[in-house]
Structures are given as structure tokens and as C-alpha cells.
């Protein structure tokens, strides 16, 4: 069954190629097509295009379909092109001619637009909550381990003293920046495109403000052509948002893989969170974090995929846009999984409290020792040369009792201020 069936059949090869993975992907989106269809049915009844009884019957039948979707009983067989055709078939099977009336004043184009945007709103809201959970955990770990010193590196060379408090809270505050992008994507998705039909509106006297309120959108995408042009653009905004989160997770996963190495030995995890080798019995591998790193790097490539699919398309609908779903949906699923596993694993992290006891880290304190000379009145450039000479001659004696007090330093983490920044965002 096709919504555009005019009484003749297309070649099976054409059907297979044009449908692609839509049936599988539409099982994820079907819930949202039902939500939009209920709002549309109520609106049709409100403006008199169908009777109030017909509208109620459609809503009742759609609620039944929604329950099947929730229970995992809803399927899209090969006889159907997509979720839209299957849902309309079920409505017609249940309600006869009333079921056939559901498509009045809409197109598959605005159906998939509104379903996708409702889906993206839910996904972005859930990602925001997951990021907040990770943020809270990182701040808790920062406070717990704020006094445990950690080598800081530049160019992968020993640089200056850091701390686990500084490291954990650095990633926490970085997540706030990521959520600014996620928030922007949510705002782009929170505009109702339903009623734009195939991208040029309808001669029916529909009430788009009603469906906007009914579905919980913040506002309308008023211009019907602009609504259609949002296809792909909203998805790009979404993937830019999650790619920002992914970049932070990937960087932290890389740190963890380094810090777990025996050459660093900064952190460890319980045996049940690591994997082994088929031939080396001593191995405890950070496979979870390596996969988080790889999956998050894949996510960061998704915006570029969408650019290549949608770039330079003229206004109006084009079948190219169908491919957007098969890029976005798996990326969102990977993002959820990576956040879940990062939170699950970090709860069990163990830090090494005596890393800097190793004399190879003495040079971490060269800057603090140099600064003492400056405080005593020596010009900085002279102090720098004096310290450089001492290091070269093997006469360097580090000042380990450091004191960093400015905002955001290891002695003044500003965890409360970082928490307030996140709370303001929420």
C-alpha cells in the first residue's frame, strides 16, 4: 500500500531502492506520527472538515495503535511503504471511510517533518538530562578528589601541577558549552511544521495554531516553504549539538585510556569494567572507553554527512532528504549509549593518590619555584633564565608546597559557580 497509489504498480527494484531502510527506521518514529495524527484529527474536527464523532473515533483508534507501538506489537510489513501508509491502513481497517479522511489537508512531507521534530525534541531532552547526570557525577568526583595532585601536560610533555579536582571539573564545565549547542538544536526543532503539506500549504481552512498547542510546540514554523526547508536543517542542528557532546566524551575517553596505562598508572577500574587478552593473562583493557572514543568520533562526522546529503538542494522537497533519517537515528542511539556507559563506568573510577611521589615529576614545580623568585623581586625574564640554568646543571630544587588561589585554579576550583552555571542553563 502506498499513500500515492494511483492504480498502477512500480517495478519491484524501484520499490526496494526507494523504500530503503524506511520501514525499520519508521518503527522508531511511528509513536510520533501517531501523536501528530491525533492532533491533526482533532483539528479536522474543530474546523469542520470531519465531524466531531469522526475525530473522536480517529483519536480512539490512534490511541490503540499507540499502545501497540508501546508494547512492541506494531509492525510495518513489506506490503507497506512506511509508517504513514501502515497507520492509515489500520485506521481504514478499523473505521472504514473515516480512516481514509485522516490524510485531508496534509502530505507525507509534513507528516515526516512533524514526526521527526517531535522525535528530535524528545531525544535532545533526554540527552540533556543524561549530560546533566554526567555533569553532576564529575563535580562530585572533583570535590572528592580535589586535593589529589595530577601531572599536567602540554605537547604530552610534563608541564605543571594539576589535580583530579581540576581534571574532573574541567570536563564538567565543558559539558555546559556542549549543552548550549544542544539547546540551540532543541529550539530549532521546537517549531511546528504540520500544515505545510507538501511545502506549499493547503486550500483547506486548517488551524495550525491549534495543532501547535496540542503537540506542545513552542511556536509555528509559519512560512510553509520554510517549514519544508527545515527538513535536514533541524537534523543538522541536532547532530552539531550531539557532536559537541561527543567531542568532550571522546577527549575524556582518550585521557582515561592514557591514564589507565601502566606507563601512567593514574587511575584504575574494577576488573568487571575491563576486558582481557586472548593470549596475555595480565591485560586489563579499557575497551569501553576505546569504543566510546570511536563512536563519539563517528558522531562528530555526522554533521558533515548531512551537509553532503542536503547541500545545494533547491527549495521544495527532494527524495535525497529521505536519507537524513538513516544518518541521524543511529547517531542519536550511539550518543545515548556512550553517555550511559561513561556515567556507569566513572562511578567506579579509582585514583592514585601518590602519583607525584615519583621524582620524575619534580619538573612540574619549575614554574611555581620560578614564581617565588619573581615574588622576591627578581624580574621574570631573569628568574626564567636562572631556573633554566639550574635545571640544565642538575641543581633544580622544586618547591612542592604550592599555593594556587585564583578562580578556577587547582586551589580554588569554583565548583559552586560551575554548578550555578549549569543550573542557570536548565
Amino acid at each position: 500500500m502506498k499513500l500515492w497509489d494511483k492504480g498502477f504498480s512500480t517495478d519491484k527494484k524501484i520499490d526496494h531502492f526507494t523504500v530503503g531502510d524506511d520501514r525499520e527506521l519508521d518503527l522508531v518514529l511511528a509513536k510520533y506520527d501517531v501523536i501528530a495524527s491525533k492532533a491533526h484529527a482533532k483539528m479536522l474536527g474543530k474546523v469542520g472538515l470531519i465531524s466531531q464523532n469522526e475525530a473522536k473515533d480517529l483519536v480512539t483508534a490512534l490511541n490503540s495503535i499507540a499502545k501497540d507501538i508501546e508494547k512492541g506489537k506494531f509492525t510495518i510489513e513489506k506490503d507497506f511503504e512506511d509508517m504513514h501508509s501502515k497507520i492509515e491502513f489500520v485506521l481504514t481497517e478499523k473505521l472504514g471511510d473515516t480512516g481514509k479522511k485522516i490524510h485531508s489537508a496534509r502530505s507525507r512531507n509534513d507528516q515526516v517533518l512533524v514526526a521527526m521534530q517531535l522525535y528530535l525534541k524528545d531525544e535532545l531532552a533526554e540527552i540533556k538530562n543524561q549530560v546533566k547526570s554526567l555533569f553532576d557525577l564529575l563535580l562530585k568526583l572533583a570535590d572528592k578528589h580535589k586535593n589529589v595532585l595530577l601531572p599536567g601536560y602540554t605537547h604530552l610533555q610534563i608541564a605543571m601541577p594539576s589535580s583530579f579536582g581540576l581534571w574532573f571539573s574541567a570536563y564538567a564545565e565543558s559539558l555546559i558549552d556542549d549543552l548550549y549547542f544542544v539547546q540551540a538544536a532543541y529550539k530549532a526543532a521546537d517549531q511546528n511544521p504540520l500544515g505545510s503539506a507538501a511545502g506549499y500549504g493547503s486550500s483547506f481552512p486548517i488551524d495550525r495554531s491549534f495543532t501547535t498547542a496540542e503537540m506542545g510546540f513552542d511556536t509555528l514554523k509559519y512560512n510553509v516553504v520554510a517549514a519544508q526547508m527545515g527538513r535536514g536543517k533541524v537534523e543538522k542542528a541536532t547532530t552539531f549539538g550531539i557532536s559537541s557532546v561527543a567531542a568532550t566524551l571522546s577527549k575524556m575517553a582518550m585521557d582515561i585510556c592514557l591514564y589507565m596505562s601502566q606507563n601512567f598508572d593514574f587511575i584504575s577500574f574494577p576488573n568487571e569494567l575491563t576486558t582481557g587478552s586472548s593470549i596475555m593473562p595480565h591485560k586489563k583493557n579499557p575497551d569501553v572507553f576505546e569504543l566510546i572514543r570511536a563512536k563519539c568520533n563517528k558522531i562528530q562526522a555526522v554533521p558533515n554527512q548531512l551537509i553532503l546529503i542536503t547541500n545545494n538542494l533547491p527549495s521544495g522537497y527532494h527524495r535525497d532528504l529521505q536519507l537524513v533519517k538513516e544518518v541521524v537515528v543511529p547517531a542519536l542511539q550511539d550518543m545515548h549509549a556512550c553517555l550511559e556507559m561513561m556515567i556507569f563506568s566513572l562511578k567506579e573510577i579509582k585514583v592514585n593518590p601518590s602519583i607525584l611521589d615519583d621524582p620524575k615529576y619534580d619538573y612540574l614545580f619549575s614554574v611555581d619555584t620560578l614564581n617565588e623568585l619573581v615574588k622576591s623581586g627578581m624580574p621574570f625574564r631573569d628568574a626564567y633564565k636562572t631556573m633554566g640554568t639550574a635545571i640544565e646543571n642538575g641543581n633544580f630544587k622544586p618547591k612542592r608546597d604550592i599555593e594556587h588561589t585564583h578562580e578556577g585554579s587547582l586551589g580554588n576550583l569554583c565548583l559552586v559557580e560551575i554548578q550555578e552555571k549549569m543550573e542557570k542553563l536548565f
Side-chain angles (χ1 to χ4, degrees):
M1 177 185 170
K2 300 181 179 70
L3 295 185
W4 51 273
D5 189 351
K6 294 185 283 286
F8 59 85
S9 299
T10 50
D11 189 284
K12 287 184 179 180
K13 283 188 176 181
I14 299 296
D15 276 347
H16 178 74
F17 184 75
T18 55
V19 171
D21 297 328
D22 256 21
R23 296 186 189 96
E24 291 79 8
L25 293 168
D26 278 2
L27 290 175
V28 177
L29 298 174
K31 165 187 173 180
Y32 301 97
D33 194 48
V34 168
I35 291 170
S37 294
K38 285 166 61 179
H40 186 69
K42 290 177 183 178
M43 184 276 295
L44 292 177
K46 178 179 180 290
V47 302
L49 287 173
I50 61 175
S51 71
Q52 288 295 330
N53 285 336
E54 286 174 322
K56 288 178 183 177
D57 289 344
L58 283 167
V59 170
T60 299
L62 286 163
N63 282 333
S64 177
I65 295 171
K67 287 179 182 177
D68 285 343
I69 293 170
E70 188 178 350
K71 294 176 182 176
K73 294 181 179 179
F74 180 80
T75 57
I76 305 173
E77 297 83 357
K78 289 186 178 180
D79 296 336
F80 300 97
E81 192 172 20
D82 50 33
M83 61 182 170
H84 314 301
S85 53
K86 175 61 185 287
I87 289 169
E88 187 169 321
F89 173 83
V90 174
L91 292 175
T92 303
E93 193 176 46
K94 288 176 178 286
L95 304 175
D97 285 348
T98 298
K100 297 177 184 178
K101 295 180 179 182
I102 188 67
H103 203 60
S104 303
R106 70 176 182 178
S107 162
R108 273 201 312 177
N109 292 1
D110 64 341
Q111 271 189 270
V112 72
L113 269 169
V114 71
M116 179 60 83
Q117 286 181 221
L118 287 168
Y119 164 72
L120 292 178
K121 282 179 62 179
D122 269 7
E123 293 294 298
L124 289 166
E126 176 57 25
I127 284 168
K128 185 178 173 183
N129 288 331
Q130 284 184 291
V131 170
K132 178 62 163 56
S133 295
L134 177 57
F135 170 89
D136 290 341
L137 174 59
L138 289 169
L139 279 196
K140 182 179 177 182
L141 290 167
D143 188 52
K144 180 179 179 181
H145 302 293
K146 62 187 176 184
N147 295 321
V148 180
L149 293 183
L150 175 73
Y153 291 83
T154 61
H155 308 276
L156 276 181
Q157 304 291 305
I158 291 171
M160 292 178 64
S162 181
S163 69
F164 280 104
L166 206 56
W167 184 65
F168 284 122
S169 59
Y171 282 104
E173 192 167 7
S174 291
L175 289 172
I176 297 174
D177 294 338
D178 301 331
L179 284 188
Y180 292 145
F181 288 95
V182 172
Q183 288 276 70
Y186 187 93
K187 196 168 184 65
D190 202 13
Q191 305 173 88
N192 177 24
L194 186 61
S196 60
Y200 300 97
S202 170
S203 60
F204 290 111
I206 58 175
D207 186 343
R208 297 187 65 208
S209 294
F210 175 86
T211 57
T212 298
E214 190 71 22
M215 291 183 286
F217 281 102
D218 180 60
T219 188
L220 265 164
K221 192 76 171 188
Y222 289 99
N223 185 292
V224 291
V225 177
Q228 187 54 242
M229 285 164 59
R231 183 90 185 268
K233 190 172 187 178
V234 173
E235 290 87 344
K236 267 193 290 186
T238 296
T239 56
F240 274 118
I242 66 172
S243 70
S244 187
V245 177
T248 300
L249 263 60
S250 178
K251 185 182 288 288
M252 188 168 200
M254 180 63 195
D255 277 359
I256 290 171
C257 290
L258 280 176
Y259 293 176
M260 284 180 68
S261 162
Q262 292 91 334
N263 298 79
F264 285 78
D265 193 28
F266 295 168
I267 58 174
S268 61
F269 289 88
N271 291 342
E272 57 268 25
L273 297 183
T274 62
T275 61
S277 163
S278 62
I279 62 171
M280 294 173 281
H282 67 282
K283 294 294 290 297
K284 293 180 181 180
N285 296 327
D287 285 20
V288 167
F289 300 102
E290 290 171 345
L291 287 171
I292 288 173
R293 182 176 60 196
K295 286 177 181 288
C296 285
N297 288 341
K298 275 180 62 183
I299 290 168
Q300 290 179 79
V302 172
N304 194 52
Q305 286 181 273
L306 293 178
I307 289 169
L308 293 174
I309 291 170
T310 61
N311 198 33
N312 294 335
L313 291 181
S315 61
Y317 175 74
H318 309 278
R319 195 64 180 260
D320 313 53
L321 295 167
Q322 176 182 321
L323 302 186
V324 166
K325 281 192 287 187
E326 67 186 46
V327 177
V328 172
V329 173
L332 285 163
Q333 292 170 339
D334 278 346
M335 188 77 265
H336 287 305
C338 288
L339 283 163
E340 180 183 355
M341 292 309 298
M342 186 64 88
I343 294 166
F344 177 77
S345 300
L346 279 180
K347 288 177 181 176
E348 305 300 327
I349 193 170
K350 299 175 183 177
V351 308
N352 180 351
S354 53
I355 300 167
L356 300 195
D357 290 351
D358 190 323
K360 73 182 175 186
Y361 294 121
D362 282 354
Y363 293 121
L364 285 170
F365 301 94
S366 69
V367 175
D368 291 275
T369 309
L370 182 159
N371 288 349
E372 288 301 306
L373 295 177
V374 174
K375 288 178 185 178
S376 68
M378 185 181 294
F380 176 83
R381 189 53 55 204
D382 293 341
Y384 182 89
K385 290 179 180 178
T386 299
M387 192 58 56
T389 301
I391 291 169
E392 284 293 316
N393 294 336
N395 299 323
F396 171 64
K397 294 181 180 179
K399 177 186 183 299
R400 283 176 168 266
D401 56 332
I402 58 174
E403 187 178 2
H404 294 192
T405 59
H406 69 74
E407 295 99 324
S409 65
L410 62 84
N412 184 7
L413 295 175
C414 294
L415 300 185
V416 171
E417 290 81 357
I418 294 171
Q419 181 74 53
E420 287 173 351
K421 192 189 287 189
M422 176 62 92
E423 296 299 336
K424 185 177 179 182
L425 188 152
F426 263 73

